[in-house]
Amino acid sequence: MENNKIVLLEGVCKRFPAGKTEFTALSNISLSFGKGEFAGLVGPSGSGKTTLLNIIGSLDTPSEGTADVLGKRINLLSHKEAAQLRNYGIGFIFQTYNLLPVYSVYDNVEFALLLQKMSSEARKKAVMEALEWVGLTEKVKSRPSMLSGGECQRVAIARAIVKKPQLVLADEPSANLDSKNSHHIVQTMKRINKELGTTFIFSTHDEKVMQYLDRIIYLKDGMVDKDETVNK
Amino acid sequence: MLTFILAFRNLMGSGKRTWLNVSVLSLAFVVIIFYNGLLEGWNVQARTDTMAWETGNGRLSHPLFDQFDPFTLADSHGKTDEGLLTLLGKDASPVLITQATAYPNGRLFNVLLKGIDTRQTLLSVPVRLMDSLASAGEGGVIPAVIGDRMAKAAKLKAGDMMVVRWRDANGTFDAREVMIAEVFRTNVPSVDVSQVWIPLEYLREMTSMYGEATYITLSKEGVAKLNGAADDKLPASGELYKGWRYEDEDALMHEIDTVIKAKKGSSTVISMLLLCIALLAIFDTQILSIFRRQKEIGTYIALGMTRLKVVGIFTIEGTIHSVLAIALGTLWGMPLLKWIQHTGIPMPSNTDQAGLAIADKIVPVYSAGMLLATVLLVVISSLVVSYIPARKISKMKPTEALKGKLV
């Protein structure tokens, strides 16, 4: 793997069974992402954005080709090793926030750290710091049901960055948000990217998000259509 | 520990659903303890009463004696070992039994005439009045005591007379008048129904079975004395000792134990049904939980949890129901069970017609072993029913779980 490349995909294909035949979601994808990138996978529904994010996030494996993430080959990882990789190296942000409904804001953010054997003091400090980043220190005791969509997504961002991962994968993070909130959360992520050097990879088709991206990879029918660097 | 904390948090977050399951399971928990306690109480009472009134803590029986076959009575008697009786003193009570016919108020009853030493203190059969009447030598009348079931059946009361006819050792019929000295109340039907107790010496004389007995009842101390003897220790139960068949406490209680075991079987069915209902509720909740919380499961995995750990969370979530149920059951069940133990459960007056020792009231006994076994049963069974649906998680694809697709 090249020195500053934290994600390296070589000829990645992903096929899913569809009845008696197979559906090809990704076809011969070769991409790499360096440290501190703020990149997006853009394309219409069914273009393979989420599938590619899932493979990079070690939630899925390629049918063909290789995927190296943070120095680990995804194809070869056991369930336990993949969990370890996600636990320490990768943060996830989902379109529907996926917050744990019975937990408070604090608990939701802390959850990511509970899996790492960290002292409660260090945990508390990290959680408060992450909530400060997203401007939610006032809402630590609130449950997700008491928050707006924008606030929920900010909690999800805090949960993703609290363990200071090298890589954050955000799957359509603004899809359920209004314009103002969309801008706000992407600006927050951009700030984290700049200040912490965290690599962000988005899947999106939201123009509001795209304007902040440094690199846009257009996917079409499971293939890379265009890979362009912007704002630089 | 993390798994426990997370499972507990999730469970508490589920609110009413959790408490509904916990309530049903706590009911099952308390009912199981109650049933088992009731049977244990009956067992203890039946054993205590039977030992006090009939069997003592051991028995040396004539080898031919079979308590379930009256035809063996004619031959199952033998001379007692005077040395042995002297050694045992008050810790032994010989009893001689013969078949007889009683004619109370012109009726006819087949009875067992039982001769008992009027100075014995080992068995609870009241002998003091018989002793004083026998000593007074009331005009050749035989003093007798009977139980209230016999008295009721024969319409007899204290002071009544009846004719009794029997055959002596030579097969010769003889008859004499018997006076009911006392009517006693006992929980043990086998010393009451169709039984007439008279002084041992009278019966020996009436049957020409001088110095003989059918069996010798032993107290706990009596058994210990014989076991502690330098030579000639008591053999294993069922084997001969100085020409008499020794039966230990377990052998003598065999019938009671068998009945209690059978009763426990039927009560277990009821308890298990109730437990199954409670476990079914947990099982359903688990299935529903896993179905409804797929996104949550996917999120756990995405955040770095292994599938096994997620299975653990869901299994422990289900199992905590049982822990809470035990706590809740202790909270409301303990005072109730204590109160029942204090007041006892009244038994219908004709229950003892079954031939078993049943008191007017049964006092449940809750032993530590029984409580522990019930706790383990509830916890382990809820662990199993929680695990079975949770296993599905290990086969779940995280990408599909995150989308909330069907399992």
Side-chain angles (χ1 to χ4, degrees):
Chain A
M1 189 186 275
E2 290 172 47
N3 253 354
N4 64 340
K5 298 294 178 198
I6 59 170
V7 177
L8 192 60
L9 308 170
E10 291 281 356
V12 167
C13 293
K14 184 68 188 178
R15 286 184 285 272
F16 295 105
K20 285 179 182 172
T21 58
E22 280 187 328
F23 165 72
T24 304
L26 293 175
S27 181
N28 198 26
I29 302 276
S30 294
L31 285 170
S32 64
F33 295 90
K35 261 185 194 168
E37 272 199 47
F38 201 71
L41 304 169
V42 176
S45 284
S47 58
K49 305 183 295 285
T50 302
T51 307
L52 192 56
L53 276 192
N54 284 340
I55 290 173
I56 297 171
S58 75
L59 292 170
D60 210 345
T61 51
S63 309
E64 254 177 59
T66 58
D68 294 312
V69 178
L70 302 173
K72 309 275 180 191
R73 181 146 295 182
I74 300 298
N75 317 45
L76 306 177
L77 295 179
S78 65
H79 285 314
K80 202 175 171 184
E81 287 164 336
Q84 189 87 341
L85 175 67
R86 290 191 296 270
N87 187 11
Y88 287 94
I90 306 172
F92 285 89
I93 298 167
F94 303 100
Q95 179 183 341
T96 49
Y97 330 125
N98 288 32
L99 299 179
L100 304 171
V102 298
Y103 291 5
S104 67
V105 165
Y106 182 92
D107 294 335
N108 264 287
V109 179
E110 188 194 28
F111 184 88
L113 298 177
L114 286 173
L115 300 171
Q116 302 180 353
K117 288 178 177 86
M118 194 184 261
S119 73
S120 63
E121 259 182 42
R123 232 167 35 222
K124 192 175 178 184
K125 195 175 162 221
V127 172
M128 291 315 290
E129 201 178 277
L131 286 171
E132 233 168 77
W133 269 100
V134 297
L136 277 177
T137 45
E138 307 281 296
K139 304 258 182 177
V140 282
K141 285 183 182 166
S142 305
R143 291 235 178 151
S145 57
M146 298 153 76
L147 303 176
S148 68
E151 286 171 329
C152 282
Q153 197 58 296
R154 277 148 66 195
V155 178
I157 294 169
R159 183 177 65 185
I161 61 157
V162 71
K163 55 192 178 186
K164 302 224 164 62
Q166 291 188 62
L167 176 63
V168 171
L169 303 173
D171 188 8
E172 308 267 10
S174 61
N176 285 354
L177 303 177
D178 57 28
S179 173
K180 192 180 160 197
N181 272 312
S182 295
H183 280 291
H184 188 233
I185 64 128
V186 184
Q187 280 164 359
T188 306
M189 288 193 265
K190 185 82 185 170
R191 191 158 49 90
I192 294 164
N193 164 256
K194 284 252 167 73
E195 295 189 23
L196 299 179
T198 310
T199 305
F200 278 81
I201 304 176
F202 292 80
S203 90
T204 187
H205 52 248
D206 185 347
E207 295 287 338
K208 298 183 289 294
V209 175
M210 279 191 248
Q211 62 183 283
Y212 292 93
L213 299 174
D214 298 334
R215 181 183 170 196
I216 302 175
I217 297 148
Y218 293 91
L219 293 180
K220 194 177 170 190
D221 298 329
M223 287 185 280
V224 177
D225 191 35
K226 207 161 45 169
D227 183 352
E228 61 183 28
T229 306
V230 286
N231 293 348
K232 279 191 175 174
Chain B
M1 195 59 197
L2 169 68
T3 314
F4 276 94
I5 294 167
L6 294 177
F8 191 75
R9 274 188 193 174
N10 288 338
L11 205 60
M12 289 295 104
S14 302
K16 280 179 193 163
R17 194 152 33 95
T18 298
W19 291 109
L20 186 69
N21 287 338
V22 166
S23 305
V24 177
L25 194 57
S26 84
L27 182 70
F29 174 66
V30 173
V31 169
I32 291 171
I33 290 177
F34 168 71
Y35 266 124
N36 285 330
L38 189 68
L39 284 172
E40 190 57 31
W42 181 20
N43 190 17
V44 168
Q45 169 263 315
R47 288 177 77 99
T48 309
D49 286 351
T50 304
M51 280 194 271
W53 283 87
E54 189 180 20
T55 63
N57 298 88
R59 193 155 76 180
L60 292 168
S61 305
H62 188 275
L64 298 177
F65 175 61
D66 178 355
Q67 62 178 344
F68 301 109
D69 181 6
F71 289 105
T72 61
L73 288 172
D75 301 316
S76 57
H77 51 87
K79 284 237 182 283
T80 54
D81 183 331
E82 284 311 311
L84 184 72
L85 289 181
T86 309
L87 168 77
L88 291 168
K90 287 189 181 303
D91 294 319
S93 177
V95 173
L96 178 64
I97 310 175
T98 189
Q99 280 187 288
T101 312
Y103 300 89
N105 305 314
R107 299 154 191 261
L108 181 149
F109 276 90
N110 285 324
V111 296
L112 289 180
L113 267 184
K114 286 188 168 177
I116 185 167
D117 185 353
T118 52
R119 281 178 296 277
Q120 69 86 32
T121 51
L122 197 158
L123 297 175
S124 300
V125 177
V127 289
R128 197 178 293 174
L129 196 57
M130 277 201 302
D131 186 43
S132 55
L133 288 171
S135 309
E138 290 278 333
V141 175
I142 304 167
V145 290
I146 55 172
D148 61 355
R149 294 174 188 82
M150 170 69 188
K152 196 175 167 189
K155 297 196 184 305
L156 287 167
K157 56 184 187 304
D160 284 353
M161 305 286 284
M162 68 175 174
V163 172
V164 174
R165 192 181 70 142
W166 71 95
R167 284 168 76 172
D168 66 15
N170 305 310
T172 310
F173 280 103
D174 202 351
R176 275 176 66 181
E177 274 204 313
V178 163
M179 187 189 76
I180 307 303
E182 190 176 348
V183 175
F184 59 84
R185 170 88 187 113
T186 176
N187 297 324
V188 186
S190 52
V191 297
D192 179 346
V193 178
S194 303
Q195 319 254 325
V196 178
W197 293 83
I198 64 171
L200 178 62
E201 286 313 315
Y202 275 62
L203 188 58
R204 282 173 169 170
E205 189 193 325
M206 286 153 62
T207 54
S208 305
M209 297 176 190
Y210 300 102
E212 293 193 16
T214 305
Y215 59 76
I216 302 162
T217 310
L218 303 171
S219 70
K220 202 174 188 174
E221 292 73 21
V223 172
K225 266 185 199 172
L226 295 181
N227 272 328
D231 52 354
D232 258 355
K233 284 186 182 176
L234 281 175
S237 186
E239 289 181 17
L240 289 182
Y241 176 77
K242 294 184 175 178
W244 295 79
R245 187 181 66 238
Y246 172 63
E247 289 163 295
D248 65 8
E249 214 174 281
D250 289 341
L252 293 168
M253 294 296 134
H254 179 70
E255 290 307 312
I256 290 176
D257 289 344
T258 308
V259 173
I260 297 289
K261 212 171 169 183
K263 286 275 171 200
K264 269 189 179 164
S266 55
S267 87
T268 303
V269 171
I270 296 168
S271 303
M272 287 306 115
L273 275 175
L274 202 63
L275 184 64
C276 281
I277 292 168
L279 293 177
L280 197 65
I282 295 178
F283 187 81
D284 278 351
T285 305
Q286 287 288 93
I287 296 265
L288 189 70
S289 244
I290 291 161
F291 182 76
R292 280 174 23 144
R293 291 163 62 192
Q294 286 178 77
K295 272 194 178 181
E296 187 182 325
I297 293 166
T299 309
Y300 284 142
I301 297 170
L303 291 179
M305 252 192 187
T306 58
R307 292 170 200 204
L308 210 63
K309 217 163 200 169
V310 183
V311 171
I313 289 182
F314 277 76
T315 305
I316 288 165
E317 257 184 62
T319 312
I320 289 176
H321 280 106
S322 64
V323 177
L324 293 175
I326 289 163
L328 183 68
T330 308
L331 208 66
W332 69 264
M334 186 86 96
L336 181 70
L337 294 175
K338 270 273 170 203
W339 176 73
I340 292 172
Q341 198 175 33
H342 179 69
T343 56
I345 305 282
M347 298 306 285
S349 56
N350 60 346
T351 321
D352 54 8
Q353 298 296 318
L356 272 170
I358 303 175
D360 297 336
K361 276 183 182 178
I362 291 187
V363 177
V365 172
Y366 314 115
S367 67
M370 185 265 282
L371 290 174
L372 186 69
T374 312
V375 166
L376 287 177
L377 173 74
V378 171
V379 172
I380 292 170
S381 53
S382 64
L383 179 83
V384 172
V385 296
S386 305
Y387 172 69
I388 293 169
R391 272 183 321 172
K392 284 203 162 193
I393 294 168
S394 63
K395 289 173 191 157
M396 224 181 236
K397 282 188 176 171
T399 49
E400 288 184 0
L402 279 167
K403 287 182 210 159
K405 281 192 177 175
L406 293 181
V407 181

